[in-house]
Amino acid sequence: MKGSMKPVKKKKTEEPELEPLCCCEYIDRNGEKNHVAACLCDCQDLDEGCDRWITCKSLQPETCERIMDTISDRLRIPWLRGAKKVNISIIPPLVLLPVFLHVASWHFLLGVVVLTSLPVLALWYYYLTHRRKEQTLFFLSLGLFSLGYMYYVFLQEVVPRGRVGPVQLAVLTCGLFLILLALYRAKRNPGYLNPASSDRSLSSSQLEFLNRKGQEKTKGFPGTDTSGSLNNRTAKDDPKGSSRMLAGSPTKAKEDWCAKCQLVRPARAWHCRICGICVRRMDHHCVWINSCVGESNHQAFILALLIFLLTSVYGITLTLDTICRDRSVFTALFYCPGVYANYSSALSFTCVWYSVIITAGMAYIFLIQLINISYNVTEREVQQALRQKTGRRLLCGLIVDTGQYNRAHL
């Protein structure tokens, strides 16, 4: 009778413990330990770019991308247990906005040039990032810093003139805090879909079929258009109900199947290519909050726009009433003699016009949102209907009737 063989226990290989990082050290994108003081050392792409710039030679786009990746990886601030990475897109508004506004306050013509070029630059950067389908904190940084800087100029240049009372200042301050609170709520979860809850009712064979179809044609499935059809979706926005209905027919479910998130999308949900996840009743991806606007944060987004418009108009009125006395707000906005004689008044007047430009843009977004809500459509559905030429333009293109969900209310 053979004795029982005792299993031989394998010794676990002890992994070497990593040394704790000091406040100026960090692990770079290559997995190596680096130091903040060496941010300008050992960068062949940057050296090559400088050499080509000095010799007036063209620089390859790939080299520029590598240089920007290196700069964004090495731009860090000392922090406990390792230096923290700083997103490079938040820096330009902090530096350029005060410089541009101060330059614009030197002369009327400079103000016209600067205030005209700022929206053009912002639209160009938006087009650049939107085409590359990447997230950016530039617009969120620009919005928050604009709020803070306008409030700072108001306290430094307008309040000391004595025309603004304590109650008016308190109302404006409360409006600013309400804007920040509404933005915080709007930036929260817009209604991300959980893959586990949507895939629970589908069998493994159905999932395999949908995955195979998604790999064959990622932009669209056979028999549907590239942007995804909404005609066969259910009118109820219930993820569980739609999953149960679609589970019996893989051919029907493939129209709402997201191969990237591995789930069946409920009605009116969509996959955001910038956030990389499906959002329930997605309206659009808003660069001003660096997040999607969906079912869970749409009301907070509308509330943030409304509070911002009211607070901005109130602050513009107080400022114009202070620097251009005995004139109506509309008249003072276009005709305020002697405003450039004093640098303080010129800076306040320039900030007023900057606020007017931003307020006009936000008022347009707010108007479009109200129109879409009244017709019970989302911005993504509007854009899809325009691409497919299935929507009707009304009121000079402000209203687009998709004819799908306008029989009910939000």
Side-chain angles (χ1 to χ4, degrees):
M1 187 174 181
K2 295 182 180 180
S4 60
M5 300 291 293
K6 294 183 179 180
V8 179
K9 294 183 179 180
K10 296 182 180 180
K11 294 183 179 180
K12 295 183 179 180
T13 57
E14 296 182 358
E15 298 181 356
E17 296 183 359
L18 297 177
E19 297 181 1
L21 300 175
C22 73
C23 62
C24 295
E25 294 180 336
Y26 63 94
I27 304 299
D28 59 13
R29 56 179 180 174
N30 298 324
E32 300 176 356
K33 183 185 291 187
N34 211 329
H35 199 276
V36 174
C39 61
L40 298 178
C41 301
D42 193 18
C43 183
Q44 297 179 358
D45 296 325
L46 185 59
D47 296 338
E48 180 184 354
C50 293
D51 293 338
R52 286 183 169 272
W53 179 72
I54 293 174
T55 56
C56 298
K57 295 181 180 179
S58 61
L59 195 62
Q60 298 295 330
E62 296 80 9
T63 306
C64 294
E65 293 182 0
R66 290 197 300 267
I67 291 176
M68 293 303 299
D69 292 340
T70 303
I71 293 176
S72 62
D73 183 56
R74 296 186 180 185
L75 186 62
R76 298 174 183 261
I77 57 174
W79 202 257
L80 298 177
R81 298 181 181 179
K84 295 295 183 180
K85 186 176 180 180
V86 178
N87 195 313
I88 195 173
S89 62
I90 69 175
I91 298 179
L94 307 181
V95 178
L96 297 180
L97 182 62
V99 173
F100 284 163
L101 291 180
H102 279 276
V103 171
S105 61
W106 290 350
H107 195 269
F108 171 75
L109 294 179
L110 285 175
V112 172
V113 173
V114 171
L115 293 177
T116 305
S117 61
L118 281 177
V120 175
L121 292 175
L123 289 175
W124 171 79
Y125 187 76
Y126 168 76
Y127 172 76
L128 182 64
T129 55
H130 187 73
R131 185 180 60 180
R132 298 175 62 178
K133 305 300 180 185
E134 60 182 17
Q135 286 187 330
T136 177
L137 294 176
F138 175 85
F139 294 96
L140 179 61
S141 173
L142 177 61
L144 294 178
F145 186 68
S146 296
L147 286 175
Y149 190 71
M150 295 301 105
Y151 187 70
Y152 169 78
V153 172
F154 185 82
L155 293 179
Q156 293 294 322
E157 308 295 342
V158 180
V159 174
R161 294 173 179 262
R163 298 274 294 182
V164 179
V167 177
Q168 295 170 324
L169 181 60
V171 171
L172 188 66
T173 305
C174 289
L176 180 63
F177 279 104
L178 289 177
I179 292 173
L180 297 177
L181 180 61
L183 285 176
Y184 171 75
R185 296 198 61 182
K187 193 170 169 53
R188 297 175 64 183
N189 187 352
Y192 295 129
L193 287 174
N194 186 12
S197 62
S198 296
D199 296 346
R200 195 175 299 159
S201 59
L202 298 180
S203 63
S204 58
S205 60
Q206 292 171 341
L207 291 176
E208 182 181 357
F209 171 80
L210 294 172
N211 285 329
R212 186 171 62 252
K213 289 295 183 181
Q215 292 175 0
E216 290 176 358
K217 198 171 185 180
T218 56
K219 292 185 179 180
F221 294 97
T224 61
D225 48 57
T226 57
S227 56
S229 176
L230 291 172
N231 296 328
N232 295 328
R233 295 189 181 183
T234 58
K236 297 181 180 179
D237 197 3
D238 183 13
K240 295 182 180 180
S242 61
S243 298
R244 286 194 295 268
M245 185 192 73
L246 295 172
S249 176
T251 306
K252 190 175 183 179
K254 69 183 180 182
E255 297 180 0
D256 296 302
W257 173 253
C258 180
K260 295 182 179 179
C261 295
Q262 299 291 299
L263 55 83
V264 176
R265 294 191 299 262
R268 313 185 77 175
W270 198 250
H271 182 86
C272 178
R273 291 177 292 179
I274 299 177
C275 295
I277 193 171
C278 288
V279 180
R280 185 178 289 109
R281 201 184 186 279
M282 177 179 171
D283 188 84
H284 69 286
H285 181 88
C286 181
V287 295
W288 294 104
I289 62 175
N290 193 32
S291 179
C292 289
V293 177
E295 183 182 69
S296 301
N297 65 342
H298 201 176
Q299 294 181 354
F301 178 73
I302 297 296
L303 182 62
L305 286 176
L306 178 61
I307 297 175
F308 171 78
L309 292 176
L310 296 177
T311 305
S312 180
V313 171
Y314 187 65
I316 291 171
T317 304
L318 292 178
T319 304
L320 289 177
D321 183 64
T322 301
I323 63 178
C324 299
R325 300 181 181 181
D326 302 329
R327 294 182 182 274
S328 64
V329 175
F330 186 79
T331 303
L333 188 61
F334 294 95
Y335 181 69
C336 186
V339 70
Y340 283 94
N342 185 1
Y343 182 76
S344 175
S345 300
L347 180 61
S348 302
F349 190 71
T350 303
C351 291
V352 164
W353 263 106
Y354 175 75
S355 302
V356 168
I357 294 173
I358 299 297
T359 304
M362 295 303 165
Y364 175 76
I365 296 176
F366 183 70
L367 176 63
I368 295 300
Q369 288 292 317
L370 292 183
I371 292 175
N372 290 344
I373 290 174
S374 64
Y375 275 78
N376 194 24
V377 295
T378 62
E379 185 63 25
R380 189 197 64 81
E381 293 168 355
V382 168
Q383 298 300 325
Q384 183 181 6
L386 292 178
R387 287 194 300 266
Q388 298 176 352
K389 298 180 179 180
T390 58
R392 295 187 301 114
R393 287 181 176 270
L394 304 173
L395 197 61
C396 299
L398 288 177
I399 301 175
V400 177
D401 185 11
T402 60
Q404 287 182 303
Y405 300 103
N406 56 355
R407 295 293 181 267
H409 298 282
L410 193 63

